[in-house]
């Protein structure tokens, strides 16, 4: 979806929504002892330390659902799921052992009202509390360290070219921080530090997986293919796409397998767009499945 169009639709919500959102603007929405934290991963005993990294990509992130459907059907079980931005949203549900069929259903039915909470002081931005609450309800209010699959959400401190990987604490807040795209969301403050979308530093945080101790890394990249860029695309988009690709390519050498899912260049928000994206990602992952199985089984 075009971000300006999305914000225009958000601005049309009733004034009550804005008022309630304004209250949430100043409330973390979780107790202090549930503050997301950075720490080591408790890897399962007797298993290969395989990390599945799900990259950022905005609406293209629905493609992760198609990837996970194929991996689940093949019985492939990562020891750790790492998500950035859209990858953190999908990854948190997968880490909660929600079936991929159910994740797909929720992805297709997700509406603007599920995440729309305009900021009272900055109505052209979303607070992110609605997304936080949506995620936390979906995972049954389980904290990261108690999810059935080990999980971490990657975010970037505002103004710093670095990443943090939240491995414990409130799942919804960690995902909110990871997905706080500056053009749409306010930064998410955790422990006195403001965080924003990890895409700005590392769209596919492969090196984070190695830092956490992964011995095998499979990463999923849903970024735009540079060769698919239309001539009429804005120059700022082209520059950002090239920057993202350079970052991903630099980290790719640290992965055992990088799945690049080809998607339409222009994104959308319709159910039809999501269905097409998931179906395409499913087909592309099936084609790559022999390589995945050879590596992981």
């Amino acid at each position: 979806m075009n971000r300006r169009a999305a914000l225009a639709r958000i601005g049309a919500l009733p004034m009550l929504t804005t008022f309630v959102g304004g209250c949430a603007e100043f409330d973390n929405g979780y107790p202090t002892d549930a503050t997301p934290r950075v720490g080591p991963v408790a890897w399962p005993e007797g298993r290969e330390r395989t990390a599945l990294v799900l990259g950022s990509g905005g609406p293209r992130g629905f493609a992760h659902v198609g990837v996970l459907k194929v991996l689940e059907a093949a019985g492939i079980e990562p020891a750790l799921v790492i998500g950035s931005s859209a990858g953190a949203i999908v990854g948190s549900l997968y880490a909660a052992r929600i079936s991929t069929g159910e994740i797909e259903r929720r992805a297709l039915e997700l509406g603007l009202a599920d995440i729309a909470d305009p900021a009272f002081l900055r109505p052209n931005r979303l607070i992110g509390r609605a997304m936080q609450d949506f995620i936390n309800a979906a995972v049954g209010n389980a904290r990261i360290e108690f999810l059935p699959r080990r999980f971490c959400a990657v975010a970037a401190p505002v103004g710093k070219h670095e990443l943090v990987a939240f491995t414990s604490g409130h799942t919804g807040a960690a995902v909110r921080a990871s997905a706080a795209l500056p053009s749409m969301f306010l930064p998410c403050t955790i422990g006195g530090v403001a965080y924003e979308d990890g895409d700005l530093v590392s769209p596919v945080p492969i090196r984070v997986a190695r830092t956490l101790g992964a011995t095998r890394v499979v990463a999923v990249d849903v970024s735009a293919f540079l060769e698919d860029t239309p001539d009429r695309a804005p120059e700022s988009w082209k520059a950002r796409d090239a920057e993202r690709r350079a970052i991903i390519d630099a980290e790719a050498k640290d992965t055992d397998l990088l799945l690049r899912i080809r998607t339409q260049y222009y994104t959308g928000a319709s159910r039809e767009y999501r269905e097409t994206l998931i179906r395409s990602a499913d087909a592309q992952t099936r084609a790559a499945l022999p390589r995945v199985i050879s590596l992981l089984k």
Side-chain angles (χ1 to χ4, degrees), residues 2-297:
N2 178 281
R3 291 172 188 160
R4 290 188 177 181
L7 292 174
R9 289 173 61 189
I10 292 165
L13 291 174
M15 184 60 69
L16 177 61
T17 302
T18 302
F19 176 75
V20 173
C23 297
E25 197 169 343
F26 307 102
D27 176 18
N28 288 332
Y30 56 83
T32 301
D33 64 358
T35 300
R37 292 180 172 84
V38 175
V41 172
W43 292 94
E45 296 289 339
R47 288 184 55 195
E48 189 77 33
R49 294 185 173 188
T50 302
L52 175 64
V53 182
L54 304 179
S56 58
R60 293 187 184 94
F62 287 107
H64 288 307
V65 180
V67 174
L68 293 176
K69 286 178 65 179
V70 175
L71 298 185
E72 181 179 75
I76 293 172
E77 180 70 24
L80 172 67
V81 180
I82 299 175
S84 175
S85 195
I89 295 172
V90 177
S92 65
L93 305 186
Y94 181 65
R97 283 199 185 278
I98 298 173
S99 72
T100 55
E102 175 63 14
I103 294 174
E104 180 179 25
R105 184 191 69 78
R106 297 187 187 197
L108 295 177
E109 294 180 358
L110 182 70
L112 188 63
D114 293 317
I115 61 169
D117 51 358
F120 183 69
L121 299 180
R122 297 181 64 187
N124 63 333
R125 294 289 186 274
L126 300 180
I127 298 169
R129 264 291 301 278
M131 178 196 296
Q132 172 178 310
D133 294 344
F134 174 83
I135 293 295
N136 224 52
V139 303
N141 298 310
R143 299 184 186 184
I144 293 174
E145 64 270 32
F146 298 126
L147 292 172
R149 288 188 174 102
R150 287 159 177 81
F151 171 73
C152 80
V154 177
V158 175
K160 296 184 179 181
H161 195 76
E162 61 185 56
L163 295 174
V164 299
F166 293 112
T167 56
S168 66
H170 196 275
T171 303
V175 172
R176 170 186 172 186
S178 182
L181 186 68
S183 62
M184 290 194 71
F185 291 92
L186 295 177
C188 176
T189 300
I190 294 176
V193 178
Y195 293 95
E196 59 190 4
D197 199 318
D199 173 82
L200 302 173
V201 177
S202 176
V204 188
I206 296 164
R207 289 175 181 159
V208 168
R210 294 298 187 187
T211 299
L212 291 173
T215 55
R216 297 188 303 195
V217 179
V218 175
V220 183
D221 174 20
V222 297
S223 306
F225 279 52
L226 296 184
E227 56 268 36
D228 293 342
T229 306
D231 291 338
R232 66 181 182 277
E235 291 302 318
S236 60
W237 291 15
K238 295 179 182 178
R240 179 53 187 157
D241 288 344
E243 180 184 8
R244 295 177 87 256
R245 176 53 50 205
I247 295 171
I248 295 168
D249 288 348
E251 291 197 48
K253 64 180 181 294
D254 290 323
T255 188
D256 295 282
L257 179 63
L258 177 63
L259 292 177
R260 291 192 65 198
I261 304 300
R262 196 168 211 138
T263 66
Q264 301 173 23
Y265 184 81
Y266 290 109
T267 63
S270 68
R271 183 185 179 98
E272 180 182 9
Y273 170 80
R274 302 177 201 182
E275 288 175 337
T276 300
L277 195 60
I278 293 171
R279 187 165 55 248
S280 176
D282 182 302
Q284 292 178 63
T285 306
R286 288 183 188 280
L289 193 57
R291 288 188 293 147
V292 180
I293 293 175
S294 176
L295 173 67
L296 300 183
K297 284 195 173 182

